[in-house]
Amino acid sequence: MRRQWLLGVTCLLLLTLGYRVRAQDSLIRALTRQLAITKTDTGRVNRLIDLANASTDTNRVSALQYSNEALALARAINYKPGIAMAQFTLGRAYSNLNNYDRAVSYLNAAGDGFSQLQDSLGVARVQSRLAWVSIQRGDYATAFELGQQSLRVAEQRNDLLLIRQTHSHLGSLHILLGDYTLALEFLTTAMDEHERANDLRSVCRTLNALGELYRLKGDPEKAQNYYDKSIRLAESLQNPLLRAEAESNLAAVETEQGQPLAAIRTAHRSLRVLLAEGAYEVIAWAQTVMARAQLATNRADSAVYYGQKSWNLSRQIGYKEVIRDASQILAQSYARQNDYQRAYQYQQTFIAYNDTLLGAQTRQQLTILQQNAKAAEQQAAAILQAEEDQRQQQRLIGALIGLGLLGVVALVLWRSNRQQTRTNAQLRQQQAELKAAQNQLIQQEKLASLGELTAGIAHEIQNPLNFVNNFAEVSVELIDEIADEHHKPNPDPQLTDELLTDLRQNLQKISQHGGRASSIVRGMLQHSRASSGQREPTDLNALCEEYLRLAYHGLRAKDKTFNASFQVDPDPALGPVQVMPQDLGRVLLNLYTNAFYAVQSRQKTTPTAGYQPEVTAQVRLENDQAVIRIRDNGTGIPAALLSKIFQPFFTTKPTGEGTGLGLSLAYDIITKGHGGTLDVDSHEGQGTTFTLKLPT
């Protein structure tokens, strides 16, 4: 029924298109005539603001000009409502032009003006727009808080326009946070509200957002269906920018569905319009889509061309997500061209941005989770306090009225108890939602360890690759010398034998270091696979040594100045142990990373003459148990905090540097997944030892 209704609306649009376009032009002409005949200065300010609002979607430069004129005139006559409103329209105009710093400056000024005027609805409109700007800048926690504040005021004042705008913003926000269920709920509500208001531009944008939701969710058919609807609606509205935005997303889906040639044609159409409109963020995204499609058709040169354009533009405007994607495409494209040096450089950039974005998103989701939990606690406390106040009042009334009204008091208490039951049910539901969100963060923490591992692998794999390249170059020179000697009238057999011996040794070295690089790649692939949950015989001595080395190189990849000594003390008597190697590897990587962080912190914060950072791992077979002890001589953990060290979301690191989930997950993997134990012994200022015991 919903699809049939939307189809009917689209058909009606096609019939009334000419009228709607003429109506928009007529509105601007009518406002221009009114401005010309308006005598009062305050009236002229209001007409200029109306013109800025009417030009927002059709001519962004004109909207900026009208807003500046309105602000100058309002300041000249000290018309405070006009000043605040002109600052708001300026903030919106600059945000549409992707100039977010100036947008935030004007929006904050508008918010202050509305607050002084005690205009709560004006403040809510500012908060809604600031939420949208925060989404574009990647500050999801701020966007979530501002969006919730704006929505509460809009619902209290029953401002339908602000309600549907805020629902759209929150839907887009939850897409970025990966909460597709809640995103679909917000966007579906926003779609109904836009349709009832006959706001077809917002319907077009919401269709595009729904397509993006299903594309990220892994349902390309539904995504393409929504993109097609958005494109048709944009065509009927004669809005080339909306169509180009939808086509850039459609091209990404076409590439994912194995239609790169169609994606190239679609992306070309999109880029022609976007470049003319100056929509820089969408241009950077569309160029990345084009580069990926070119790479899918084995056109590495074209992929490099578009990937480099996207990389340069996204760095200029600070679009980190596109910098990450463009770096990955450039690394793959240069590898296809056998330019491994550039491929390696861009792969390092991809890893750095991917780690940064993943960590930032995890921290922002944690912030939103904490905000929800705090709000739920405050709401529950307020309800319980209100219930207690009501009960106190009821007792007083009962004492004054006496036994004659005992039945009435009993009835009131019964109703109070029923309300209390409902309150408890709401609190349990909120706790369940909180638990679900925590589980989602835990899964992301598991993925975050892959970034640490990849940085270490990339740093370590460079050594065997350097050896391979060097020996290969020397081998080519040896072959040239053999060829020269062979073509001489009287070749020297002894010299030829010596050259062949050197060549054989070089090829053996190439094979040796190539095998080392191959083993590193196999280890990376094994770690990146999801755990099967099956235990397999594993050499714990080798596993501990490999992850210790990778953790060290992972930290060195971020801080070239850091150096530390590290070693593994193996137990030759310990045979293979039945464990889940991927899960145990994550535990070791987390403990090693924490150990190197601790010694690095001690070296920076309390430098001591002769201090040498040191991390060691000892493997032993004791009482039919495999025992792994990981020691460091870092900062140590205060005794008062040791009892909390394995609690979820508890961390001793500064704000923003840890989620507090790593040790909690490690404890669960060892105790629940392997039936072992994980203990900690630490002395503040001296170091820490973690002891893992696994049944053999």
Side-chain angles (χ1 to χ4, degrees), residues 362-363 366 438-450 452 527 582-595 630 637 644-653 657-671 678 680 690 692:
T362 300
R363 289 192 296 273
L366 179 59
Q438 288 175 340
N439 290 336
Q440 183 182 3
L441 282 177
I442 288 172
Q443 294 302 318
Q444 291 181 348
E445 175 69 20
K446 292 179 180 178
L447 293 175
S449 66
L450 183 60
E452 295 285 345
H527 181 88
Q582 293 95 334
D583 290 349
L584 186 57
R586 290 190 177 97
V587 173
L588 293 173
L589 183 64
N590 182 274
L591 295 178
Y592 288 146
T593 302
N594 286 347
I630 299 174
I637 304 170
K644 305 177 182 179
I645 203 69
F646 296 119
Q647 292 179 6
F649 305 106
F650 178 82
T651 178
T652 59
K653 295 179 182 178
E657 293 189 19
T659 62
L661 290 172
L663 287 177
S664 173
L665 291 174
Y667 186 85
D668 287 345
I669 290 172
I670 296 301
T671 58
L678 176 59
V680 60
F690 283 91
L692 293 77

Side-chain angles (χ1 to χ4, degrees), residues 493-658:
Q494 182 177 358
L495 177 59
T496 302
D497 289 342
E498 291 177 358
L499 293 172
L500 289 172
T501 300
D502 291 341
L503 180 61
R504 182 180 297 104
Q505 291 175 350
N506 284 357
L507 293 176
Q508 289 173 346
K509 291 291 186 180
I510 290 174
S511 176
Q512 174 186 348
H513 291 288
R516 173 57 185 155
S518 178
S519 68
I520 294 172
V521 172
R522 283 197 303 272
M524 179 177 65
L525 293 175
Q526 182 182 27
H527 181 88
S528 64
R529 290 197 300 267
S531 174
S532 63
Q534 299 294 326
R535 301 190 186 189
E536 54 189 74
T538 303
D539 184 352
L540 293 188
N541 293 319
L543 192 70
C544 289
E545 182 175 1
E546 179 181 8
Y547 279 93
L548 179 59
R549 187 171 57 254
L550 292 177
Y552 174 73
H553 288 305
L555 187 57
R556 282 272 299 163
K558 299 177 181 178
D559 184 2
K560 301 294 184 184
T561 63
F562 174 70
N563 287 290
S565 63
F566 59 95
Q567 64 177 356
V568 174
D569 181 11
D571 186 354
L574 178 63
V577 179
Q578 293 283 346
V579 298
M580 291 177 281
Q582 293 95 334
D583 290 349
L584 186 57
R586 290 190 177 97
V587 173
L588 293 173
L589 183 64
N590 182 274
L591 295 178
Y592 288 146
T593 302
N594 286 347
F596 283 120
Y597 180 91
V599 299
Q600 183 189 39
S601 298
R602 180 177 176 182
Q603 188 179 46
K604 289 181 178 179
T605 57
T606 56
T608 304
Y611 172 70
Q612 175 61 41
E614 182 175 283
V615 176
T616 62
Q618 181 189 66
V619 185
R620 289 290 183 269
L621 177 62
E622 298 176 2
N623 300 325
D624 295 329
Q625 287 184 315
V627 181
I628 303 172
R629 295 183 177 89
I630 299 174
R631 296 188 177 95
D632 68 74
N633 62 343
T635 55
I637 304 170
L641 303 181
L642 280 177
S643 61
K644 305 177 182 179
I645 203 69
F646 296 119
Q647 292 179 6
F649 305 106
F650 178 82
T651 178
T652 59
K653 295 179 182 178
T655 302
E657 293 189 19

Side-chain angles (χ1 to χ4, degrees), residues 165-343:
Q165 288 176 343
T166 308
H167 281 152
S168 295
H169 295 165
L170 289 173
S172 299
L173 172 61
H174 282 87
I175 291 177
L176 295 171
L177 293 173
D179 190 345
Y180 301 129
T181 301
L182 199 54
L184 182 60
E185 182 179 328
F186 275 117
L187 290 177
T188 302
T189 301
M191 176 69 80
D192 292 337
E193 293 165 346
H194 293 323
E195 288 171 349
R196 283 197 296 268
N198 202 25
D199 184 353
L200 300 178
R201 286 188 179 86
S202 297
V203 170
C204 188
R205 290 192 177 96
T206 307
L207 287 170
N208 194 22
L210 285 166
E212 190 69 359
L213 185 153
Y214 282 107
R215 183 181 74 83
L216 295 173
K217 196 177 180 181
D219 192 340
E221 292 184 2
K222 279 190 177 180
Q224 184 168 359
N225 182 37
Y226 279 109
Y227 290 145
D228 287 339
K229 290 179 179 179
S230 181
I231 291 169
R232 290 196 298 271
L233 184 52
E235 288 174 344
S236 69
L237 293 171
Q238 295 186 350
N239 192 317
L241 181 58
L242 288 178
R243 172 176 175 168
E245 290 175 353
E247 284 183 328
S248 66
N249 292 329
L250 177 61
V253 171
E254 289 173 336
T255 302
E256 293 171 3
Q257 289 183 309
Q259 303 173 30
L261 294 178
I264 290 172
R265 291 193 296 270
T266 305
H268 266 304
R269 289 197 304 271
S270 173
L271 278 171
R272 282 198 298 269
V273 175
L274 294 171
L275 289 168
E277 294 285 341
Y280 298 117
E281 289 191 352
V282 190
I283 290 171
W285 158 249
Q287 287 171 337
T288 302
V289 172
M290 173 68 84
R292 200 181 300 278
Q294 296 284 359
L295 189 62
T297 59
N298 294 320
R299 300 173 183 171
D301 292 342
S302 297
V304 167
Y305 173 79
Y306 284 104
Q308 196 66 58
K309 279 183 169 294
S310 174
W311 196 83
N312 292 334
L313 177 58
S314 56
R315 279 177 61 85
Q316 290 175 9
I317 63 178
Y319 200 166
K320 293 182 180 179
E321 289 81 357
V322 174
I323 297 174
R324 174 197 60 196
D325 296 343
S327 299
Q328 184 184 40
I329 294 171
L330 285 170
Q332 295 169 350
S333 302
Y334 280 120
R336 294 269 184 95
Q337 294 179 332
N338 298 323
D339 189 345
Y340 295 111
Q341 182 177 359
R342 289 186 179 179

